[in-house]
Amino acid sequence: MRAAVVTAFGGPEAVEIVETDVPEPAARQIRIKVAAAALNPVDAGVRAGVFGGAGKRLGLGWDVAGTVDAVGVATGWTVGDEVVALVYGTAKSLGTHADHVIVDADAVAKAPASVDAVHAATLPLNALTAAQALDLLALEPGRSLLVTGAAGAVGGYAVQLAAHRGLAVTGVARAADEELVRSLGATRFAAGAVAPGSVDGVLDAAILGAAALEWVRDGGVFTGVIPHAHPASVRGVRTGSVEVAADGARLAELVALVDAGVLTPRVAETFALDGAVKAHARLAEGGLRGRVVLVP
């Protein structure tokens, strides 16, 4: 089978498509025939060596939508099931940017019925990150939340989930994205400076750090999306960052929200797996409103 990997760090041209054996699932694992797999900034980080692993073959891809085509024992899944999953890890030898991928059975959920595999593939990493970040914030309904990067993949899901939870959401993004961000559920919008201390919490999907921390009221809460990279606490603000965890049960809840129309998967462009270098180059250009998705 084919798989996108890196064996030496660099720019988009460092991505290689290699031929490798089709993997076999062990106990409590399934194999998915990949229908679509999103390309995320973390993949660019792996490619560039941000997470280390020099001298190893590193597989790319965390999100997958596809069909179960082999199962180990004690999985609860059946060949032919349409599924989505998160394959966690920056140092795996094979990721989801491949023809097949092995996934732990408890990281898997049934695929949404209301969208195709390409759109479903944008859900696992980005929506789980948004949901788990909101869990860390632990804001009660009626409280105010500011989401930076509100037009992006994580930020967009965060706006929708926060609004669904009854939070009063301010979205921060480029001025041209105001209509989009409001359509996701933000009741307020900002394209620039925000009044200091004006919100109960910040979900910093744009990785603004200390600048966004200033917008939180004394004693409020701040959560970033880069593990262990959040700013230090000031003025009694509780600060932290989410490290996304694979969670099939939680992913199933998010799938249900897609089918209920609460969450809106967004696809910017699609590329064939053999065009992974071009896909990475497009990601590097920026300005995407939705995810780039690879289709084997």
Side-chain angles (χ1 to χ4, degrees):
M1 72 168 194
R2 300 166 301 158
V5 303
V6 292
T7 56
F9 300 137
E13 71 285 349
V15 179
E16 305 174 49
I17 303 297
V18 300
E19 290 288 338
T20 188
D21 293 338
V22 176
E24 295 295 332
R28 295 182 293 280
Q29 291 182 327
I30 66 171
R31 187 175 70 211
I32 299 172
K33 180 175 175 54
V34 179
L39 173 63
N40 291 284
V42 68
D43 297 305
V46 171
R47 185 201 73 221
V50 171
F51 306 104
K56 299 179 181 179
R57 185 183 80 173
L58 301 175
L60 299 172
W62 291 49
D63 292 301
V64 61
T67 305
V68 177
D69 77 341
V71 296
V73 299
T75 68
W77 295 98
T78 303
V79 171
D81 287 342
E82 302 291 330
V83 296
V84 290
L86 174 66
V87 181
Y88 178 91
T90 58
K92 50 188 181 276
S93 61
L94 290 172
T96 64
H97 296 171
D99 290 315
H100 296 83
V101 65
I102 298 296
V103 183
D104 290 340
D106 60 3
V108 181
K110 287 188 176 180
S114 57
V115 298
D116 61 18
V118 172
H119 286 79
T122 72
L123 189 69
L125 176 58
N126 295 287
L128 279 171
T129 297
Q132 292 170 6
L134 288 168
D135 291 346
L136 287 178
L137 288 163
L139 290 170
E140 295 293 329
R143 294 292 188 178
S144 57
L145 173 69
L146 185 146
V147 178
T148 70
V154 173
Y157 281 135
V159 170
Q160 291 188 304
L161 287 168
H164 184 64
R165 293 185 182 196
L167 300 178
V169 182
T170 298
V172 175
R174 298 185 305 185
D177 291 318
E178 180 173 0
E179 182 178 354
L180 167 63
V181 171
R182 289 188 180 276
S183 76
L184 297 173
T187 55
R188 295 183 179 181
F189 178 83
V194 176
S198 60
V199 293
D200 296 312
V202 163
L203 195 163
D204 187 22
I207 319 174
L208 302 183
L213 180 60
E214 291 301 311
W215 301 333
V216 183
R217 66 167 174 79
D218 294 358
V221 61
F222 173 103
T223 293
V225 297
I226 304 296
H228 315 299
H230 52 274
S233 175
V234 295
R235 299 179 287 105
V237 176
R238 174 170 58 84
T239 63
S241 51
V242 64
E243 182 166 4
V244 68
D247 184 338
R250 190 63 180 284
L251 184 55
E253 295 174 2
L254 297 169
V255 166
L257 292 178
V258 171
D259 286 337
V262 174
L263 294 181
T264 308
R266 292 177 289 143
V267 174
E269 295 183 42
T270 61
F271 291 82
L273 178 60
D274 289 340
V277 169
K278 293 180 180 179
H280 276 253
R282 178 64 189 93
L283 179 64
E285 290 173 4
L288 296 167
R289 291 299 172 256
R291 278 285 172 246
V292 169
V293 177
L294 296 176
V295 180

